[in-house]
Each structure stands twice: as structure tokens, then as C-alpha cells.
Amino acid sequence: MGGFDRVFEINRNFRNEGLSVRHNPEFTMMEFYAAYTDYKWLMDFTESCIRAAAIAACGSAVVQYQGRELDLAKPFQRLTIVGAIQKYAPQYTEAQLQDATFLRAELKKFGVEAFAHAGLGALQLALFEETAESQLWERLTSSITQLRFHRWHVPRIATLRLLSAMSCLSLAVKLPMVSLS
């Protein structure tokens, strides 16, 4: 939006992108755009939005989710996709994680057939989903600099990360509509 440094909207969405046990096709979304910022600012802002939403809805930054306590007051851990793979599946070397041929072969071991046009970032993301994603519990703001999607840029992916995190939090604590100001 020309002339506005910060823009946001809250809206209802329905996305017919196929069935998945990990995605709800109907959801409420808060989407924002911020000029003159970088991905680090977006991660800080995402963290503060999630924390503020928990406090507004629950009166505390400590919430219960799936029978476990989650303390959103603590700083969020920040990992790249490759960093998360190396932390939770340390058998992979940096060279292996930068080798598309190796990644394709490794994904086949997990029963994942990568698309022929998948680039290095998409292959790394697929391996992350197989090796590290299920082990994440602590608050995580993901630095997505390892992803190389030619159609997407950092603010768009960071926006999607915020929406995903807000959706998880809203399911965990059944958030009412709250002001994040």
C-alpha cells in the first residue's frame, strides 16, 4: 500500500489446497506487511505478537498445550532449516545438506519422492520435515535464509510463519479475538 509503512488485515480464509492432517483449510488470518525491515525484525515482531496474544487471552505467557507447559516469555530459539537438521539429525554434514543429489537419495529412504523441479531449499525443507520438525517443542522462530524459493521472498515466508504460529497458539488456548496493540 503506497505511503503506508505498516499494513495489516484480519480475515477469514478457506484454502482448497488438498487434504492434510497438518493444515486446516478454514482459518482466521492476520497478515501484515512492514516496509524498511528485515527478516530479523519480522522474527522479533512475530515473537512479540505470539507472546502478547497469549497474555491477552490467558493472562500469562505460560500456556498448556497437548499436556505440556509452554513458556512464551522466554526468548524464542532461532534456527535455520539446515541448523535444525544438524541439531536433531547430527549425522548429516554441511556438504551433504548442500548437495541436491544426496538430499534426493536421502529423502527416498524416508519414502519421499521429491518433485523433479524441486530446488535445494525445497529438498532441505523436506528433509527437515522428516528429521527435525517432529522434535521441535520449544518456541521456534525459523530463520528461513536457507530456503531458495524463487517465487517467494523473506517477508512472505515470515508472514506465513507468523500465521502458522498464531494458528497453533489459538488452537492451544482457544484464543478469542484480541487486540495486539
Side-chain angles (χ1 to χ4, degrees):
M1 306 257 310
F4 292 97
D5 291 346
R6 306 282 191 274
V7 179
F8 80 96
E9 67 175 321
I10 297 175
N11 57 65
R12 292 290 302 155
N13 281 272
F14 177 82
R15 294 195 175 157
N16 188 13
E17 298 174 357
L19 296 175
S20 168
V21 296
R22 294 176 10 174
H23 300 92
N24 185 352
E26 295 185 51
F27 55 95
T28 301
M29 178 169 76
M30 180 182 87
E31 190 167 7
F32 71 91
Y33 299 92
Y36 316 111
T37 62
D38 62 12
Y39 73 96
K40 291 178 184 176
W41 181 92
L42 288 167
M43 287 190 292
D44 291 340
F45 182 74
T46 298
E47 186 175 325
S48 67
C49 281
I50 293 169
R51 188 174 293 119
I55 292 168
C58 303
S60 171
V62 178
V63 298
Q64 293 292 320
Y65 180 67
Q66 296 182 346
R68 294 175 73 180
E69 185 176 276
L70 181 61
D71 185 355
L72 298 169
K74 295 178 184 175
F76 289 27
Q77 181 181 359
R78 296 183 182 193
L79 294 169
T80 62
I81 297 296
V82 168
I85 295 168
Q86 290 175 320
K87 180 176 181 174
Y88 295 105
Q91 68 270 23
Y92 297 112
T93 67
E94 182 70 31
Q96 289 172 325
L97 296 174
Q98 299 300 322
D99 181 345
T101 303
F102 172 82
L103 291 170
R104 286 180 186 285
E106 197 65 19
L107 287 167
K108 283 184 182 180
K109 292 178 185 177
F110 289 100
V112 176
E113 186 68 40
F115 290 114
H117 64 276
L120 184 61
L123 296 170
Q124 291 168 339
L125 180 59
L127 187 62
F128 163 82
E129 289 172 346
E130 296 300 322
T131 61
E133 185 174 41
S134 66
Q135 299 182 63
L136 298 176
W137 174 251
E138 291 299 312
R139 304 128 335 266
L140 177 69
T141 303
S142 178
S143 167
I144 43 66
T145 56
Q146 293 290 325
L147 296 180
R148 296 180 181 93
F149 288 21
H150 67 287
R151 297 176 308 178
W152 290 21
H153 53 82
V154 170
R156 178 68 178 151
I157 295 173
T159 300
L160 294 174
R161 291 278 185 213
L162 169 63
L163 301 177
S164 174
M166 294 292 284
S167 295
C168 290
L169 181 60
S170 67
L171 290 173
V173 297
K174 296 179 178 44
L175 285 178
M177 190 65 143
V178 295
S179 169
L180 299 177
S181 59

